[in-house]
């Protein structure tokens, strides 16, 4: 069964204003509405005014004064009445302006003094310094790693900090040529071309098989296609990092939402205080069992090894019992001829690998899978769903616990 990550809102329910302690009883949603309107006006009055309005809104949405449940209520209320897209678009515009200002400054200097007191970029740079510090620790990134960062933007601050903090190599994906050229100029100016490269291409098309870590940026889209591409071509030991927003931080960036059939959530770091982005670590728990199936030539047959569904050691496929079972399937097919199997039933199927072999070799018109253990049935569903994803000519499958 595929995993689904949706950092979104719960169904709306009656909104009760959350007081911020002022004498006039102004609710938090009113304060956010006012701050967004001020931000919209300030965006037309130069970067300094824009920056001050951003800070004003940050003070409200990054305060962590309310519970996650209350945040969901406010998000539902605000989206229903005004929509979150307005604040997200304004933040995106601000970030682009700030990054361009930072690029101009860094190309005139070494970049080190930009962290000085009173500089517009100070909070922005510190935010990314801490974000990357958390991600390096979360994924255990070292100088031995090669990292792919999808959605790097005009200022590759994540790549720069990741190299500085861990010594790894980073390849950046930026689909807009103008933004990619700006990134290359910054990297060249900082003398980091040996460690950081920028590719102008699509994140959902770029091969991922040579990377030990893949980081998907918060604004990288189309998210599901990018995740599908990583699933289909990455290493079995890859560590996948995805950035997202939670709670009121959705006013800054849209939260990430995607499904995955190959990755399981391994660890997470949640944004607090002045941090805007949370990061999730995903790791594969799949075993390639293609070698068990006689004359298999299609996409690799990968099953989840979760330690609970009787997925035994496949390091020696020639001596695995399923290898002999599948050879018997092949002999049965040779005896009765192709396309003569109406219904294949697997009793105590476990993770469903026997059914996958039957689908590929016997080609039955329909399949039924049974097991006494509900978790095993769920594992079989996930494994067969993954197989169907890459092998479209599969029969209908029915699952039964019992």
């Amino acid at each position: 069964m595929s995993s689904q990550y949706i950092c979104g809102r719960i169904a709306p329910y009656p909104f009760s204003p959350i007081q911020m302690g002022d004498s006039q009883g102004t609710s938090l949603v009113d304060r956010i509405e006012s701050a967004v309107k001020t931000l919209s006006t300030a965006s037309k009055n130069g970067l300094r005014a824009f920056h001050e309005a951003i800070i004003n809104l940050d003070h409200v949405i990054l305060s962590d004064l309310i519970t996650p449940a209350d945040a969901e209520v406010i998000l539902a209320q605000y989206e229903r009445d005004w929509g979150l897209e307005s604040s997200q678009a304004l933040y995106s515009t601000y970030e682009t302006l700030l990054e361009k200002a930072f690029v101009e400054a860094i190309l005139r200097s070494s970049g080190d003094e930009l962290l000085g007191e009173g500089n517009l970029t100070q909070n922005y740079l510190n935010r990314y310094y801490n974000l990357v510090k958390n991600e390096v620790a979360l994924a255990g990134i070292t100088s031995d790693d090669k990292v792919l960062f999808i959605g790097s933007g005009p200022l590759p601050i994540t790549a720069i900090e990741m190299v500085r903090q861990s010594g790894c190599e980073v390849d950046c994906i930026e689909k807009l040529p103008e933004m990619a050229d700006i990134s290359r100029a910054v990297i060249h100016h900082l003398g980091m071309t040996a460690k950081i490269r920028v590719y102008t291409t699509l994140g959902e098309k770029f091969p991922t098989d040579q990377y030990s870590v893949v980081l998907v940026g918060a604004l990288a889209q189309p998210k599901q296609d990018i995740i599908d591409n990583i699933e289909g071509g990455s290493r079995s030991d890859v560590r996948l990092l995805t950035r997202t927003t939670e709670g009121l931080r959705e006013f800054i960036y849209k939260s990430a939402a995607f499904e995955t059939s190959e990755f399981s959530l391994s660890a997470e770091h949640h944004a607090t205080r002045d941090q805007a982005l949370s990061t999730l670590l995903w790791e594969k728990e799949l075993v390639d069992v293609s070698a068990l199936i006689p004359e298999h030539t299609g996409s690799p047959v990968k099953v989840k090894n979760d330690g609970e569904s009787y997925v035994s050691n496949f390091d020696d496929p020639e001596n695995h019992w399923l290898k002999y079972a599948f050879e018997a399937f092949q002999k049965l097919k040779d005896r009765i001829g192709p396309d003569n199997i109406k219904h294949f039933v697997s009793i105590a199927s476990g993770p469903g690998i026997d059914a996958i072999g039957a689908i590929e070799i016997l080609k039955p018109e329909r399949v039924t899978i049974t097991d006494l253990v509900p978790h095993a049935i769920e594992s079989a569903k996930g494994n067969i769903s993954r197989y169907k994803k890459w092998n479209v000519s599969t029969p209908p499958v029915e699952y039964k616990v019992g």
Side-chain angles (χ1 to χ4, degrees):
M1 182 172 62
S2 65
S3 299
Q4 186 178 50
Y5 176 69
I6 301 179
C7 181
R9 289 161 299 289
I10 59 176
Y13 54 90
F15 175 73
S16 299
I18 299 170
Q19 306 302 326
M20 292 292 287
D22 62 19
S23 59
Q24 299 178 2
T26 304
S27 70
L28 182 54
V29 72
D30 291 334
R31 286 176 175 262
I32 293 173
E33 179 192 3
S34 175
V36 172
K37 287 180 178 178
T38 301
L39 183 61
S40 179
T41 301
S43 67
K44 304 177 180 66
N45 296 326
L47 183 57
R48 174 69 66 174
F50 206 175
H51 176 72
E52 291 175 354
I54 284 284
I55 290 177
N56 181 47
L57 183 54
D58 276 357
H59 284 166
V60 180
I61 63 178
L62 302 181
S63 60
D64 295 327
L65 294 176
I66 62 173
T67 67
D70 288 335
E72 298 293 352
V73 178
I74 292 173
L75 288 167
Q77 166 87 359
Y78 197 94
E79 184 169 46
R80 184 177 69 241
D81 293 345
W82 301 286
L84 292 171
E85 293 82 2
S86 58
S87 68
Q88 292 168 351
L90 287 166
Y91 264 99
S92 178
T93 300
Y94 167 75
E95 188 164 306
T96 299
L97 289 173
L98 189 60
E99 287 191 356
K100 287 183 177 179
F102 182 35
V103 166
E104 292 175 1
I106 201 171
L107 292 179
R108 295 194 302 266
S109 65
S110 67
D112 295 334
E113 67 271 23
L114 294 175
L115 283 170
E117 288 290 336
N119 196 300
L120 280 180
T121 61
Q122 182 190 12
N123 289 339
Y124 181 79
L125 292 175
N126 281 335
R127 181 176 287 181
Y128 273 91
Y129 172 85
N130 291 322
L131 174 64
V132 172
K133 181 179 180 181
N134 292 330
E135 291 171 343
V136 166
L138 190 67
I141 299 173
T142 70
S143 58
D144 294 329
D145 283 304
K146 188 170 185 180
V147 179
L148 178 65
F149 178 33
I150 300 175
S152 58
L155 175 64
I157 186 62
T158 290
I160 292 168
E161 280 302 329
M162 200 162 280
V163 170
R164 284 177 172 173
Q165 294 184 31
S166 73
C168 68
E169 294 184 22
V170 183
D171 285 352
C172 301
I173 302 298
E174 173 50 54
K175 64 182 179 182
L176 298 177
E178 178 187 0
M179 300 299 185
D181 288 342
I182 293 173
S183 289
R184 294 187 188 101
V186 170
I187 293 164
H188 177 76
H189 184 81
L190 294 178
M192 302 182 77
T193 54
K195 286 286 191 177
I196 304 174
R197 291 160 293 277
V198 180
Y199 294 92
T200 308
T201 186
L202 299 176
E204 65 269 32
K205 301 291 185 181
F206 193 78
T208 61
D209 58 329
Q210 60 179 306
Y211 300 97
S212 55
V213 179
V214 178
L215 170 60
V216 180
L219 298 179
Q221 295 291 344
K223 194 77 70 182
Q224 188 62 59
D225 292 343
I226 290 171
I227 297 297
D228 289 346
N229 181 60
I230 297 169
E231 282 190 341
S234 59
R235 293 165 31 168
S236 61
D237 62 346
V238 70
R239 286 156 282 161
L240 171 63
L241 294 168
T242 60
R243 288 176 175 173
T244 189
T245 52
E246 300 172 303
L248 295 186
R249 288 166 174 81
E250 275 198 66
F251 281 95
I252 302 177
Y253 303 111
K254 183 178 181 180
S255 63
F258 57 85
E259 291 187 356
T260 173
S261 60
E262 293 199 7
F263 288 95
S264 294
L265 186 60
S266 175
E268 49 203 306
H269 182 274
H270 300 282
T272 58
R273 300 175 64 85
D274 65 339
Q275 288 294 301
L277 292 169
S278 299
T279 306
L280 308 179
L281 172 64
W282 305 80
E283 295 181 279
K284 288 186 176 182
E285 295 178 343
L286 300 178
V287 178
D288 188 346
V289 298
S290 305
L292 297 175
I293 303 174
E295 301 178 8
H296 174 79
T297 58
S299 300
V301 179
K302 296 180 180 180
V303 300
K304 187 173 182 179
N305 184 9
D306 58 9
E308 299 181 45
S309 303
Y310 328 123
V311 179
S312 54
N313 193 329
F314 292 102
D315 292 341
D316 187 13
E318 291 300 321
N319 291 313
H320 197 284
W321 73 269
L322 278 172
K323 177 78 170 180
Y324 299 104
F326 292 157
E327 288 178 354
F329 286 179
Q330 186 67 51
K331 290 181 179 180
L332 176 62
K333 177 184 176 182
D334 294 341
R335 179 183 301 175
I336 65 177
D339 304 320
N340 285 322
I341 305 294
K342 302 298 182 183
H343 188 191
F344 177 86
V345 179
S346 173
I347 299 173
S349 179
I353 304 171
D354 54 350
I356 292 174
I359 291 170
E360 185 147 321
I361 299 167
L362 300 176
K363 296 180 170 49
E365 293 182 8
R366 63 191 181 99
V367 173
T368 299
I369 293 177
T370 71
D371 200 285
L372 290 172
V373 181
H375 180 84
I377 288 294
E378 292 302 310
S379 179
K381 284 182 181 179
N383 290 329
I384 292 174
S385 173
R386 191 177 303 108
Y387 175 79
K388 284 184 173 183
K389 183 176 180 180
W390 305 108
N391 301 271
V392 294
S393 299
T394 55
V397 180
E398 181 181 9
Y399 303 90
K400 293 184 178 181
V401 178

